[in-house]
Amino acid sequence: MNHDLPNLDLDAFRLPALAELGAEEGAHPPRILLLYGSLRCRSYSRLLVEEAARLLRLMGAETRLFNPSGLPLPDDCGDDHPKVRELRELADWSEGQVWCSPERHGAMTAVMKAQIDWLPLSGGAIRPTQGKTLALMQVCGGSQSFNTVNQLRVLGRWMRMITIPNQSSVPKAFLEFDEAGRMKPSAYYRRVVDVMEELMKFTLLTRGRADYLVDRYSERVESAEQLSARVNQRAL
């Protein structure tokens, strides 16, 4: 097994198995989009999703990271802005996502929230995130907190995503990465492996079934035109 994960205990590591899940073999590797919430040169949320992406690729996923630099504030431009189009195309491409934000003033960052706020499309009634799996992580400058992942979990539910139970919070993140930007071995690293493993299992289990899982009686009663008008009505 070729990998670049020196902290991984291969004796304990298991690749998510389709046979164990009762899932069908897919035509392609699971597609996972990773979002991070800081523009700093040494962004610990970016370093954490890079570590997560390495794990996901080892588990058989295809990963893409969105760089939020240059993304305008929501409603500050049209939907045709290149960074907005890039983000939405990646959201459409993905079958699962990872959201990771620093905690700032007890909450997620504006960089993270802006990415999520750009995701609901103005055309059509179905959100581009609907039925996709989601894993949540946060990094803290001080002691451990769960404010950000709790907020992200509310947003994931609002976006009708299949948000997995496990999550990761890394306190004093500046102590958890070496000079090369790699995460050091620790209980926090093991939790990141746990979360990515669970995300892969849920993605394998639910992909191809998402439309059925999120199909709603109320929306079947309502006409497509009425639903589109309600979901996409302008905020007051």
Side-chain angles (χ1 to χ4, degrees):
M1 183 183 296
N2 295 323
H3 64 91
D4 182 26
L5 295 159
N7 300 330
L8 199 62
D9 182 350
L10 292 179
D11 291 333
F13 181 72
R14 299 288 184 273
L15 291 174
L18 290 168
E20 295 293 330
L21 296 167
E24 298 175 358
E25 186 71 43
H28 57 264
R31 300 188 295 247
I32 308 295
L33 170 63
L34 299 98
L35 305 179
Y36 57 93
S38 169
L39 301 179
R40 292 178 176 177
C41 292
R42 188 171 171 84
S43 163
Y44 293 107
S45 60
R46 175 177 55 80
L47 294 178
L48 189 55
V49 296
E50 288 176 349
E51 200 71 30
R54 294 184 186 98
L55 289 163
L56 288 167
R57 288 193 294 270
L58 181 62
M59 295 176 195
E62 180 182 357
T63 64
R64 296 185 187 176
L65 275 66
F66 175 73
N67 181 354
S69 180
L71 182 70
L73 290 173
D75 302 324
D76 196 36
C77 69
D79 297 347
D80 58 348
H81 188 282
K83 292 297 291 189
V84 176
R85 287 204 314 269
E86 178 189 356
L87 176 59
R88 290 182 170 183
E89 288 170 1
L90 287 172
D92 288 340
W93 166 86
S94 69
E95 296 169 314
Q97 296 184 18
V98 177
W99 295 353
C100 179
S101 175
E103 181 168 297
R104 182 170 295 170
H105 301 314
M108 76 184 77
T109 63
V111 173
M112 188 77 236
K113 185 61 162 57
Q115 294 174 81
I116 298 169
D117 283 347
W118 272 119
L119 287 179
L121 298 174
S122 59
I126 303 300
R127 296 173 175 87
T129 50
Q130 181 164 309
K132 300 179 190 293
T133 53
L134 174 65
L136 306 172
M137 301 193 295
Q138 74 172 79
V139 292
C140 311
S143 58
Q144 190 171 46
S145 165
F146 298 94
N147 291 330
T148 296
V149 287
N150 289 339
Q151 291 176 333
L152 291 173
R153 189 168 292 276
V154 170
L155 287 172
R157 178 176 58 82
W158 182 259
M159 306 289 280
R160 297 187 188 171
M161 302 183 78
I162 302 169
T163 308
I164 67 170
N166 214 339
Q167 61 189 24
S168 170
S169 174
V170 181
K172 296 183 179 179
F174 58 91
L175 297 177
E176 297 301 323
F177 293 85
D178 61 24
E179 292 183 2
R182 299 302 302 272
M183 195 171 186
K184 300 174 183 177
S186 68
Y188 302 120
Y189 176 82
R190 293 194 292 273
R191 173 58 67 88
V192 173
V193 180
D194 287 348
V195 174
M196 295 306 109
E197 184 178 65
E198 188 171 290
L199 176 65
M200 277 291 289
K201 289 176 180 177
F202 272 78
T203 305
L204 290 169
L205 188 61
T206 60
R207 71 171 181 168
R209 302 174 172 89
D211 288 344
Y212 177 72
L213 291 171
V214 299
D215 182 46
R216 296 185 176 191
Y217 165 78
S218 60
E219 293 178 357
R220 293 195 299 272
V221 171
E222 199 172 14
S223 73
E225 292 79 10
Q226 291 171 325
L227 181 58
S228 179
R230 176 171 58 79
V231 170
N232 297 300
Q233 62 186 322
R234 292 291 182 181
L236 298 179

